Amino acid sequence: MSKNTFWVTMIFVAAIVGALMGPALAQSLSTGAMLTFSAVTLVAIIGLIIWSLSSNKSGKKADTATLADARTMRAPEGKARIYVTRRGFVAALQGMNITLDETARGQIKSGQMLMADVEPGTHRLHAAMAKGLMANAGTIELEVGAGEVVVIDAMFEMSALKGDAKLTRLEGARARENVGATKLILWEVAPG
């Protein structure tokens, strides 16, 4: 069982326990205490959502021709092509900052991807959540040759108190599926 599956299951169990025990707890509190508790909880939840999304950037979507070229999954002559895709629902709306070779920078949310045509050789990808206080960054080194196409899945894997930005190389049908199912976002600072 993956970390994400475990924590989704725990949240589901907690929701059921809360639904069963909530009415009994509500009856034991006075109306004023219950209203105060509800208001404080609602404000805290809204504040957490606003805080976690406050570092998001609205990435510029690629035009139709660039997207069509990306979907071919073919590198230009003498170059290699690297895709970074992000899918899934854990922290889906929070931006993930992606850095390629410490110069190119972009941010993607779930359902989005970045694409870079690079020179053959070794390249380093770094991923970190936009609000990374409770999240560990992920890094992967890639050795690519001319004409090679590499698809990297960037996901956020949750644990009890922290999470990890995880980068995984995809192959075959899964790689094609991720590229086909995500929107192409342009880099803020394009690869050199």
Side-chain angles (χ1 to χ4, degrees), residues 107-192:
Q107 187 182 89
I108 54 176
K109 295 170 214 55
S110 187
Q112 298 178 339
M113 72 175 161
L114 293 166
M115 177 185 76
D117 294 325
V118 297
E119 296 296 327
T122 303
H123 297 278
R124 180 182 167 99
L125 270 173
H126 178 81
M129 298 307 290
K131 284 290 187 184
L133 297 177
M134 298 298 282
N136 297 317
T139 303
I140 190 170
E141 284 204 4
L142 306 166
E143 182 70 34
V144 294
E148 189 174 359
V149 173
V150 175
V151 178
I152 302 297
D153 177 45
M155 70 176 292
F156 184 68
E157 194 169 73
M158 196 64 211
S159 63
L161 299 174
K162 283 191 154 222
D164 298 311
K166 187 176 174 185
L167 298 171
T168 308
R169 189 172 180 156
L170 301 178
E171 302 290 339
R174 185 137 182 254
R176 285 189 296 282
E177 178 186 336
N178 271 26
V179 170
T182 52
K183 297 174 185 162
L184 181 62
I185 301 298
L186 300 177
W187 293 88
E188 293 168 48
V189 177

Side-chain angles (χ1 to χ4, degrees), residues 15-36:
I16 290 173
V17 170
L20 296 174
M21 294 183 67
L25 178 63
Q27 287 178 347
S28 68
L29 295 175
S30 69
T31 304
M34 192 61 190
L35 287 173
T36 302

Side-chain angles (χ1 to χ4, degrees), residues 6 25 39 44 47 50 61 68 70 72 74 87 96 192:
F6 174 77
L25 178 63
I50 291 170
K61 291 181 183 171
T72 65
R74 282 191 302 250
R87 296 177 72 189
M96 182 181 282

Side-chain angles (χ1 to χ4, degrees), residues 33-114:
M34 192 61 190
L35 287 173
T36 302
F37 175 75
S38 297
V40 168
T41 302
L42 181 63
V43 168
I45 290 170
I46 291 171
L48 179 64
I49 291 170
I50 291 170
W51 174 81
S52 68
L53 300 179
S54 65
S55 291
N56 281 0
K57 299 173 185 168
S58 58
K60 185 177 176 186
K61 291 181 183 171
D63 60 50
T64 307
T66 306
L67 179 60
D69 177 49
R71 300 260 196 256
T72 65
M73 293 184 68
R74 282 191 302 250
E77 187 70 34
K79 299 255 187 177
R81 181 169 279 183
I82 299 172
Y83 295 87
V84 182
T85 64
R86 184 163 177 221
R87 296 177 72 189
F89 70 92
V90 176
L93 295 178
Q94 188 178 17
M96 182 181 282
N97 296 328
I98 306 293
T99 306
L100 175 64
D101 296 330
E102 299 180 21
T103 55
R105 288 190 311 274
Q107 187 182 89
I108 54 176
K109 295 170 214 55
S110 187
Q112 298 178 339
M113 72 175 161
L114 293 166

